[in-house]
Amino acid sequence: MRRTAALTGLASLAALALAGCALIPGSVTSVDEPEFTNELAIPPLAPSRVVDGTRVFSLTAQDGVTEFRPGVETETWGFDGSYLGPTLRAGRGERVTVEVTNDLGEPTSVHWHGMHLPPAMDGGPHQEVEPGATWRPTWEIDQPAATLWYHPHPHGATEEHVYRGLAGMFLLDDDASRAADLPQNYGVDDVPVIVQDKVLDEDGQLELSDDGSEPGTLGDVVMTNGTIGAYQEVTTERVRLRLLNGSTARTFQLGFPDREMDLVATDGGLLDAPVRLDHVRLAPGERAEVIVRMQPGETTRLHSFEADLGGVVVPFAMGANDAFDVLELRAADELAPSPEPAWQSSAHAARDALHEDDAAVTRTFELDDRKINGRSMDMGRIDEVVDEGSTEIWEVRSIVPMPHSFHVHDVQFRILSIDGDGPPPELAGPKDTVYLEPNRTYRLLMRFDDYTNPDVPYMFHCHMLLHEDEGMMGQFVVVEPGQEAGTPPSRGHGGADTHQGHH
Ligand SMILES: [Cu+2]
């Protein structure tokens, strides 16, 4: 059911270069919703119940109809609703179970992006949930407070499932985050902001181009939490925006035209200290928490500026010339005071810390058009075998002049260097996904603490979802030192033996 692309990757880039700007589908230079008159939808906090000390959530993937535009019914997918899903929230040290039920007409899966957990609970392509089945992963939250998210990961269909609307946030808390001087009133001054771009056809239906052209579908409509032209009322001096690029292909460069913001957290949690920035670049899958200062009675808009994609060819075709207003903030005439952002490190900080001196293994990953180290994803092949307890350096480089976004499951990594230089402040915190500027070497430091399983792999892949679906993914297992990797089943999405329902 996947596309049969006549042109992929570099071939399509060459075609684009010849075709010229006017013929590029999805290429826009500026899109301004004239009116920001729709109140921002805030995903509800998911209800949970505690059973034998375990916090139990339920999510049902389903199809439905969403009115992105008044009076226009768009067919969409969502969790427990027609589009996106509720926000899951849990604290460090808690045991959680999520009952994932698939009410779609085809297999899907739910991956807990950024979560440290056993591979069989990870929700990758080896944990597909059949239509009508319920999957019940359970694990202990054992990592710092962070803005994580969840989304499907069925091999070959991830782009479509996410694009149709299957995604949500998973917020983690810990002692440091609870005690922090940071806005933390969910939906009031601590606001989830899932940014996505879409193409709506003339009938108002979601359009996913199937010609395989780079870098995947770039939309000319931007929505936040599924709201087009959204505004958020602000009633405090500072507001915390938990930014998630939930798009399938587009890299956003988010900021405000009239003020700086304080970056306080990246993918895996809080930075050492706030960093003042004009804007932050987010590739698909990346997150950033920013604090925005507001004056009484004023209005401003979060904007996506023309993105610096760092040496890609035909940058306009990759969306680099596009600019969008994203979200309007409207301050009340009187604002409640907010503290200057500040926090102490957590009780677990020393244990969590990564040390370059501990790294005994260096692996190299070269990303080209759709392959990693010259190989295309094979569900039956283990690409890397990692010893439990080991600290490793992964040297990752895109060797083609096109955008990629590198994501590693199971761990949060630290960027040691980019072409030998230390990372900029916005890339110095905990990360699980990183935009790769072409032809630069990113040295990533990570540690694989536990959860050995020679038979069930974790994934590493490009988070530009067309690339992932077309094979830009590999598998690693964590084993006891000396143990050999097993052989995972090679079946894939839509295969004959995909029965993974765990009733
Ligand atoms: Cu890619």
Side-chain angles (χ1 to χ4, degrees), residues 411-466:
V411 294
Q412 293 290 331
F413 53 75
R414 188 155 67 79
I415 300 170
L416 292 171
S417 63
I418 303 170
D419 274 356
D421 296 327
E426 67 270 25
L427 293 179
K431 296 283 291 170
D432 54 54
T433 307
V434 62
Y435 178 78
L436 301 178
E437 294 191 356
N439 297 307
R440 305 189 75 185
T441 298
Y442 292 70
R443 299 180 81 232
L444 314 178
L445 181 68
M446 61 195 85
R447 188 178 65 225
F448 301 87
D449 282 315
D450 41 26
Y451 303 139
T452 61
N453 189 330
D455 300 313
V456 182
Y458 297 103
M459 304 296 131
F460 55 90
H461 60 91
C462 183
H463 219 285
M464 298 176 67
L465 300 181
L466 172 68

Side-chain angles (χ1 to χ4, degrees), residues 180-354:
D181 283 334
L182 290 172
Q184 39 193 311
N185 191 352
Y186 179 81
V188 177
D189 64 3
D190 181 356
V191 182
V193 180
I194 303 172
V195 186
Q196 299 175 305
D197 62 327
K198 304 289 178 187
V199 179
L200 293 171
D201 69 16
E202 52 194 22
D203 297 323
Q205 302 307 308
L206 292 173
E207 190 175 292
L208 189 60
S209 70
D210 60 358
D211 60 0
S213 64
E214 288 293 342
T217 294
L218 296 176
D220 56 1
V221 174
V222 166
M223 50 180 70
T224 49
N225 303 343
T227 308
I228 298 172
Y231 71 87
Q232 167 78 5
E233 299 276 9
V234 174
T235 56
T236 52
E237 290 174 351
R238 288 181 173 84
V239 61
R240 176 189 196 170
L241 304 179
R242 296 179 186 254
L243 304 172
L244 158 64
N245 182 346
S247 293
T248 53
R250 181 181 293 284
T251 294
F252 293 101
Q253 189 145 313
L254 299 170
F256 291 86
D258 58 354
R259 73 199 64 205
E260 295 178 310
M261 51 194 187
D262 288 317
L263 179 75
V264 298
T266 50
D267 303 337
L270 292 167
L271 306 178
D272 290 337
V275 175
R276 190 144 292 183
L277 293 172
D278 290 322
H279 51 75
V280 60
R281 180 179 66 193
L282 293 181
E286 290 188 293
R287 288 88 67 209
E289 296 181 32
V290 298
I291 308 292
V292 184
R293 185 103 196 243
M294 299 290 289
Q295 298 296 328
E298 70 171 347
T299 293
T300 187
R301 285 184 184 176
L302 179 67
H303 190 73
S304 182
F305 296 91
E306 296 183 19
D308 175 7
L309 298 180
V312 304
V313 294
V314 209
F316 66 85
M318 303 298 131
N321 291 8
D322 304 345
F324 304 90
D325 280 334
V326 174
L327 171 66
E328 185 167 289
L329 299 180
R330 299 180 182 175
D333 290 337
E334 286 186 40
L335 299 177
S338 306
E340 191 79 28
W343 57 90
Q344 308 284 316
S345 59
S346 79
H348 294 93
R351 203 190 85 197
D352 293 336
L354 294 165

